Structure formats: structure tokens, C-alpha cells
Amino acid sequence: MSYTSYFENALLAARNLNISAGTINEVLKDLAAEAIAQTNYLLAENKKDLDRMDTSNPNYDRLKLTPTRIQDIARDIINVSQLENPLGHILSEKTMPNRLHISKISVPLGVVGVIYEARPNVTFDVFALCFKTGNVCILKGGSDASYSNLAIIRTIHKILIKHNIDVNVAVLLPKEREAAEALMQAVGYVDVIIPRGSQGLINSVRKNSKVPVIETGAGIVHTYFDEFADLKKGTDIIFNSKTRRVSVCNALDCAIIHSARLKDLSELAKPLGDAGVTIYADETAYTALQSTYPTQLLHKAGPEHFGTEFLSMNMAVKTVDTFEQALDHIATNSSKHSEAIITEDAVRMEIFLNRVDAAAVYVNASTAFTDGAQFGLGAEIGISTQKLHARGPMGLQELTSYKWLVRGDGQIRS
């Protein structure tokens, strides 16, 4: 099957996309209202996907839509509509000695391809952010969410048609794997590809794409409970980071504890045990927990449990004897997504913030906040763990590039 027509239609839509900021915002507001109005339809189509997936699959929670989640999606779309449009901003300007006036302005990336797995909310988020920034999006969702994504794109197209806008500003590719392969080869049609999903998906896109890639990496997340940590803060933060929603990339994977605080580990872990979290603990932490943590939930850790993104009710516990050892463990095992320290020592706070190499670094707060909406971006197209162009939650600004405008009056170069 040829997918060229999908790419040609998207490119043509991008070339002809000239919509006022007011109209963009009206479309987004209408889409938010329509998403809520179509809740029953969206849930029914989503159920078709859910019925095909084992409930024990970590992706099940990512795939699942609920009335509350649809309301949250609609709220995020409204938030995007209310944000300042980032296009056409003069980033710098100057007049040269030869009277050439040179300015640098923000512009759309163009055609943005997004390859993602079982998260139908991404379909809404990507469209809202791309549309707000004057970009066309080509979406390749996973086959696990095919019914959900098709229902969502129909909802989006309904609103675009209502406003007499080319529906090809939001293209959903067929569910077949070959469509993703074609998208990665669509040089000349697609300006950038953003993968969202497992490390395997991201690695595959990075390896095989001929189109430039912005990586949104896996989240191997650590929280270090320092010897100077407050126990109440630590208990609440670790519990929230781990259990708020285990299937997302900002969920806690490994708690690191200073050996001087091992006496507090049982109390620190008690809410986790009550919630049914399985712990893989190193030898020292295992001994400290053995008499208090639920036996069926406590296991000795192997090397494979560190540097692992669990995406489930599992986590690792690592004991360190020094602050430096904690920093070293994070540096060795981090995916550079989100990392946190719990401490009351002001010096260590600043050292941690300065030395830990991650997109988001926290002091005394839950890593669950690594999210575009929580960062005031309205929504996010992904969380970049690379350092070129964008890093961390990617919102409107990260979906723009810039170009130089040069105004002259007959100048020529000698």
C-alpha cells in the first residue's frame, strides 16, 4: 500500500494553512465541547480497544478513557486555546551598518509526524498543540488504540469541517506497521518526527527514520531520600510519585535511601505496601524491610531491577552510604527524564539541582509534576530527554522554529 497521498495532502494543507489566531482558538474551544458531547461514543469505541487487551498489561491504563479523563482532555484543549500564540514573535532584530534590517521571527515547524502507542489522549493533545502553532500533524497511533484514535480523528474532522478548514491539517495514518515505516521515510513531506512510547519504539524510530527526530525518551525516574530528609515529606512524595498513575513516564521507578535513614524505611514504605506496590530491594534495604513489609510484595533486587522503567506497581529500592553514591547511581541509571531529592540541607539541594543531568530536576516535590499542563504549557506533545531543540515537556514554543527576514533597499555585497 502506498501512503504517499497522505503525505502529499498534509504538505499541501501546511502550505495553504493561513488561519487567524481567533479562528484557531474558536476551533479548539468547539473541539473541547465536542469531546465532552461525544463522551459516550468515544468510550464505546475505546471499549473495543480495551476488550482486546489483557487488563494486566501495563498499557491497559494508558489506553483507557473515562468520563473524567475526557473532561481533563477537554480542559487541556481549552487551556491551549487560552495561551498566547507563539508565532510571528520577533526574537531579535538589528540594522546593520549597510542599512540592512535583519529580524528573526518564530514560525511553525511545518509538518509534524508523531508515532505513539496505546495513549489515545495523545491524538487530541498533538492536534491541539500543532493546530495552535500553525503546524500540520500526521498521526500514527498504535494498533492497540485503533478504534479510539479513529473516533477521535472523526471528532476533530467534524469541527474542522464546521469551520471550513482542510481536514488534512490532522492526518491519521492506517493502523498497519508499514504506515509508521513510510512516515519515517517521508523526506520532503515531513519536517520532524516525534516518537511517544516505550524505549523500544523510540530506539526504533531513532534508528530507522530518515526524517529528523525529537526524542521523547523513557522515564527511568529516581527519588533520593537523603540523610537530612523530612520523613513526612518523603513518605508523601514517594507514595505520590509511585502510585498516582503507574503507567506514565514520570512515575517513580527507584527510591534511593541514605543508609543513615534505614531505620525510617519501614515507615517510608508502609503506604506503598498498603497500596500493593511490589518492591525489589537491595540486600541492605531488604533486611530493613523484611519484618514489616508484606512478604508477598518484597523481593531481593537483581541488577536488572535498576535502570528499569516499570510502568506498573513495581519499584526498586537502593541503599547508599553517601550523597555522592546517590548522584553516581542516578547518573549511571537515569534516562534523564525526571529526578528528585528529598532533603532539608540547602547545600545539597543546590548541588543536586546543578549536577543531576535530567530534563526536570526536583527538590522536595513529586516527579508526577513533569507534565506539560502542570508546567503551564496547556498540554504537551511529549517530554524530550534530548538536548537539541527541546528538552522536558514540549508545548507551544517547542513546536516552533524561526527564520530570518532581511529588508534592504538595493544593497549588494562587495
Side-chain angles (χ1 to χ4, degrees), residues 225-244:
F225 188 79
D226 184 45
E227 61 183 308
F228 303 112
D230 179 277
L231 181 58
K232 176 65 167 63
K233 288 180 186 177
T235 302
D236 292 343
I237 289 169
I238 288 174
F239 181 74
N240 181 257
S241 298
K242 177 67 254 180
T243 66
R244 177 193 164 273

Side-chain angles (χ1 to χ4, degrees), residues 127-166:
F127 169 74
L129 290 165
C130 284
F131 190 66
K132 178 80 174 186
T133 51
N135 291 292
V136 166
C137 59
I138 300 180
L139 304 160
K140 175 59 184 77
S143 58
D144 287 339
S146 58
Y147 287 107
S148 304
N149 288 331
L150 188 57
I152 293 168
I153 205 69
R154 286 171 176 165
T155 303
I156 292 170
H157 285 177
K158 178 180 178 180
I159 298 303
L160 291 172
I161 291 170
K162 174 185 174 181
H163 287 268
N164 297 312
I165 296 170
D166 187 352

Side-chain angles (χ1 to χ4, degrees), residues 17-215:
L17 191 58
N18 184 21
I19 304 172
S20 70
T23 299
I24 288 173
N25 294 337
E26 286 302 313
V27 168
L28 294 176
K29 291 174 185 176
D30 284 353
L31 177 59
E34 187 66 18
I36 293 176
Q38 295 293 333
T39 293
N40 290 338
Y41 167 59
L42 295 173
L43 293 180
E45 295 302 297
N46 181 241
K47 187 176 185 300
K48 294 178 182 178
D49 291 323
L50 291 171
D51 287 345
R52 298 180 299 163
M53 183 178 286
D54 190 324
T55 56
S56 65
N57 189 322
N59 280 329
Y60 188 88
D61 181 62
R62 291 187 170 200
L63 173 61
K64 187 176 183 178
L65 291 175
T66 66
T68 299
R69 288 182 180 179
I70 292 174
Q71 290 171 4
D72 290 343
I73 289 168
R75 186 180 63 248
D76 287 345
I77 295 171
I78 291 294
N79 288 341
V80 171
S81 75
Q82 294 172 342
L83 293 173
E84 181 183 4
N85 192 305
L87 298 178
H89 288 191
I90 298 175
L91 306 176
S92 67
E93 62 179 335
K94 55 188 172 183
T95 300
M96 304 303 293
N98 61 2
R99 301 190 311 282
L100 279 180
H101 184 267
I102 301 175
S103 57
K104 184 167 92 171
I105 67 164
S106 54
V107 297
L109 290 173
V111 178
V112 178
V114 181
I115 302 175
Y116 53 110
E117 294 172 321
R119 292 189 69 174
N121 64 292
V122 172
T123 308
F124 275 120
D125 290 348
V126 169
F127 169 74
L129 290 165
C130 284
F131 190 66
K132 178 80 174 186
T133 51
N135 291 292
V136 166
C137 59
I138 300 180
L139 304 160
K140 175 59 184 77
S143 58
D144 287 339
S146 58
Y147 287 107
S148 304
N149 288 331
L150 188 57
I152 293 168
I153 205 69
R154 286 171 176 165
T155 303
I156 292 170
H157 285 177
K158 178 180 178 180
I159 298 303
L160 291 172
I161 291 170
K162 174 185 174 181
H163 287 268
N164 297 312
I165 296 170
D166 187 352
V167 296
N168 290 298
V169 301
V171 174
L172 178 67
L173 294 177
K175 63 181 181 180
E176 289 76 22
R177 183 182 297 272
E178 291 76 15
E181 295 171 355
L183 180 59
M184 290 186 283
Q185 307 305 311
V187 176
Y189 296 106
V190 180
D191 293 284
V192 65
I193 289 178
I194 303 172
R196 287 192 61 171
S198 67
Q199 192 63 56
L201 169 69
I202 294 161
N203 289 343
S204 176
V205 173
R206 183 177 59 231
K207 178 180 178 181
N208 296 304
S209 180
K210 292 183 179 178
V211 177
V213 175
I214 298 177
E215 295 180 37

Side-chain angles (χ1 to χ4, degrees), residues 2 42 48 61 127 138 306 311 322 326-327 331 341 350 369:
S2 174
L42 295 173
K48 294 178 182 178
D61 181 62
F127 169 74
I138 300 180
F306 300 108
L311 300 174
T322 67
L327 294 174
I341 185 174
E350 295 307 313
F369 287 107

